[in-house]
Amino acid sequence: MTSRTARMKNPAMVLPDAMKGIQSIYKAMYQGGVPHRILELVHLRASQINGCSACVFAGVTGAKKAGETDERLHAVAAWREAPFFDEEERAALELTEAATRIADRSGQAVPDAVWDAAADHFNEEQLSAIILMIGLTNFFNRINATVQEPAGATWS
């Protein structure tokens, strides 16, 4: 196992007002009516897709605090084949994959069928919370990949 340190402090911590705005978005997102465990699954799946070890580590930690089991967490990367997720969770995970892998498709980034499945389970406020979680996770995945934030690192 290779131990490394980040290239620099997380940019959200370097610029004084950046974290204030991010925290406001997180606060609003967690008030959107989506079960915390689903938001954590969304965060974890986007981080897995993007290969962000720091966010995968944080995602597993956060999901366990939200009551997730090891069995389900081990299966998130293969959620389509795993029997552990209900239709609501599957819709959120599919939306996460589509919105995270925008560059992988031509045409609609998020196909209507994916959107419609999510909209069948979540209202507009809840969809907003999920979309914000997807966006913020992708935001942090890109920051962490750029500065090489190691898994388990704490921001200072």
Side-chain angles (χ1 to χ4, degrees), residues 8 25 27 35-36 42 53-54 84 87 94 102 107 110-111 120 124 144:
M8 63 177 275
I25 295 170
K27 181 180 177 185
H36 190 120
V42 164
S53 66
F84 310 121
E87 291 304 311
E94 189 166 28
I102 290 174
V110 176
D120 285 346
E124 190 171 61
N144 291 336

Side-chain angles (χ1 to χ4, degrees), residues 87-88 90-92 94-95 111-122 127:
E87 291 304 311
E88 183 180 56
R90 290 176 183 282
E94 189 166 28
L95 180 60
D112 286 337
V114 172
W115 179 261
D116 293 343
D120 285 346
H121 294 282
F122 302 101
L127 284 168

Side-chain angles (χ1 to χ4, degrees), residues 21-61:
I22 293 164
Q23 288 172 332
S24 293
I25 295 170
Y26 271 112
K27 181 180 177 185
M29 181 184 62
Y30 280 111
Q31 294 173 349
V34 177
H36 190 120
R37 65 181 169 66
I38 291 178
L39 291 176
E40 293 297 338
L41 292 174
V42 164
H43 171 77
L44 178 57
R45 185 64 191 124
S47 298
Q48 289 172 335
I49 291 166
N50 290 322
C52 180
S53 66
C55 287
V56 168
F57 184 89
V60 168
T61 301

Side-chain angles (χ1 to χ4, degrees), residues 90-143:
R90 290 176 183 282
L93 289 166
E94 189 166 28
L95 180 60
T96 301
E97 288 189 2
T100 298
R101 293 183 165 154
I102 290 174
D104 292 349
R105 338 190 125 65
S106 59
Q108 286 183 308
V110 176
D112 286 337
V114 172
W115 179 261
D116 293 343
D120 285 346
H121 294 282
F122 302 101
N123 64 31
E124 190 171 61
E125 202 170 76
Q126 293 168 321
L127 284 168
S128 296
I130 292 168
I131 293 165
L132 286 172
M133 177 58 94
I134 296 166
L136 283 174
T137 299
N138 279 281
F139 170 75
F140 275 110
N141 292 165
R142 280 147 181 80
I143 289 172

